């Protein structure tokens, strides 16, 4: 919980003083992305059901430069992946083409902060602005997930003026690879949501095996504590400085 709060503040989460951020430690960014995708899918399905509309053909818009875990999510959880093709001299998702692909069945648009191919950051702010305009025209509420596995622990320190995170209103969730901060065990990753309502309650399980209520939102249950302890130690030891 302390790591989640520190990382959420690093990403300019809008929580008030004394309010806990919403997030979870995961085994790899793959699990984080699965949870993020499921949250978007469940919110979209609930909204469509309430409106009496079909909810059986969800899609995600992203670039063809996605990591394979997004393709796994689409196949495992039956979500169509609409990939913006790359072109010569432009090796990331084109925000204009991405927004054109958005329709009423789009559960989110995924932007990558640190492309799998060349490490390049996609223009999340431009994507946010274009999507805001489309939402206003259509009445939809299509939001953004930022896959910051590679860049989430780079951008805040090296490019603090780059606006890509929760400062943008449509960015509802971010995943980040914890070992990119350095000096921790590979595999510790984090999924952070903007607000509590961005994580549907149906995805949270409450257990009391240890005598108190313990909410859990992970795909697996048992995992080692050492990666989290190492991450926490380095965060408080090294801090932002």
């Amino acid at each position: 919980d302390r790591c989640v709060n520190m990382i959420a503040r690093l990403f300019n989460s809008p929580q008030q003083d004394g309010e806990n951020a919403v997030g979870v430690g995961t085994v790899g960014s793959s699990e984080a992305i699965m949870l993020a995708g499921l949250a978007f899918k469940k919110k979209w399905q609930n909204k469509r059901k309430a409106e009496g509309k079909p909810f059986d053909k969800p899609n995600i818009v992203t670039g063809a430069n996605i990591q394979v875990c997004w393709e796994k999510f689409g196949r495992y959880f039956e979500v169509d992946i609409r990939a913006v093709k790359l072109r010569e001299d432009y090796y990331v998702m084109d925000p204009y083409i991405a927004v054109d692909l958005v329709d009423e069945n789009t559960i989110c648009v995924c932007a990558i902060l640190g492309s799998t191919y060349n490490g390049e950051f996609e223009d999340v702010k431009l994507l946010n602005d274009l999507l805001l305009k489309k939402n206003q025209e259509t009445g939809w509420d299509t939001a953004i997930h930022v896959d910051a596995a590679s860049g989430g622990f780079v951008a805040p320190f090296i490019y603090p003026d780059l606006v890509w995170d929760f400062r943008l209103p449509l960015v509802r969730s971010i995943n980040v690879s914890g070992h990119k901060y350095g000096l921790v065990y590979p595999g510790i990753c984090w999924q952070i949501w903007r607000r509590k309502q961005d994580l549907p309650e149906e995805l949270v399980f409450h257990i009391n095996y240890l005598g108190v209520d313990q909410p859990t939102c992970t795909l697996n249950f048992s995992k080692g504590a050492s990666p989290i302890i190492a991450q926490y130690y380095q965060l408080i030891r090294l801090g932002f400085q």
Side-chain angles (χ1 to χ4, degrees):
D1 287 346
R2 292 179 181 181
C3 287
V4 164
N5 278 297
M6 282 188 273
I7 295 167
R9 284 194 291 272
L10 184 66
F11 296 162
N12 295 288
S13 173
Q15 79 252 35
Q16 304 298 315
D17 289 342
E19 180 185 6
N20 281 327
V22 181
V24 63
T26 64
V27 179
S29 280
S30 294
E31 183 185 13
I33 283 165
M34 303 285 173
L35 294 172
L38 283 171
F40 279 112
K41 182 181 179 183
K42 181 60 69 174
K43 280 198 70 176
W44 174 82
Q45 285 180 324
N46 290 344
K47 186 173 185 290
R48 299 282 290 182
K49 288 177 185 178
E51 295 171 347
K53 296 177 180 178
F55 53 89
D56 59 334
K57 294 182 179 179
N59 69 71
I60 283 179
V61 175
T62 188
N65 53 320
I66 51 172
Q67 214 263 358
V68 70
C69 56
W70 283 102
E71 298 178 57
K72 288 182 179 180
F73 169 76
R75 190 175 302 178
Y76 294 168
F77 296 103
E78 299 181 321
V79 176
D80 182 38
I81 303 295
R82 295 185 172 182
V84 177
K85 293 182 180 179
L86 311 184
R87 60 182 186 269
E88 190 173 357
D89 298 325
Y90 199 94
Y91 302 112
V92 292
M93 178 179 69
D94 186 321
Y96 291 96
I97 299 176
V99 172
D100 282 343
L101 291 176
V102 170
D103 63 19
E104 63 179 355
N105 293 320
T106 302
I107 63 175
C108 75
V109 181
C110 169
I112 303 177
L113 200 78
S115 170
T116 306
Y117 291 167
N118 61 1
E120 185 176 348
F121 292 175
E122 295 183 342
D123 194 337
V124 187
K125 186 179 186 306
L126 177 58
L127 176 65
N128 178 86
D129 295 345
L130 294 172
L131 203 49
L132 274 175
K133 186 173 183 292
K134 183 156 189 171
N135 284 344
Q136 290 169 355
E137 293 170 351
T138 59
W140 302 336
D141 185 30
T142 310
I144 297 170
H145 174 83
V146 179
D147 181 352
S150 295
F153 275 124
V154 175
F157 303 99
I158 308 299
Y159 312 110
D161 296 328
L162 181 69
V163 179
W164 64 273
D165 52 19
F166 291 123
R167 287 170 287 184
L168 299 171
L170 290 183
V171 173
R172 303 287 166 78
S173 63
I174 300 170
N175 69 279
V176 63
S177 176
H179 52 263
K180 301 301 193 304
Y181 186 83
L183 303 176
V184 297
Y185 305 109
I188 177 64
C189 293
W190 304 92
Q191 166 59 29
I192 312 291
W193 284 275
R194 182 186 191 90
R195 304 161 303 179
K196 186 176 181 180
Q197 54 264 45
D198 292 315
L199 173 61
E201 186 61 32
E202 302 101 295
L203 299 182
V204 181
F205 292 83
H206 294 268
I207 59 173
N208 63 350
Y209 301 150
L210 300 179
V212 294
D213 179 64
Q214 182 183 359
T216 175
C217 173
T218 52
L219 293 181
N220 65 320
F221 189 80
S222 299
K223 60 184 176 185
S226 54
I228 295 174
I229 294 169
Q231 180 92 89
Y232 178 49
Y233 171 75
Q234 296 297 355
L235 287 176
I236 60 175
R237 174 176 174 267
L238 300 175
F240 189 90
Q241 193 62 37

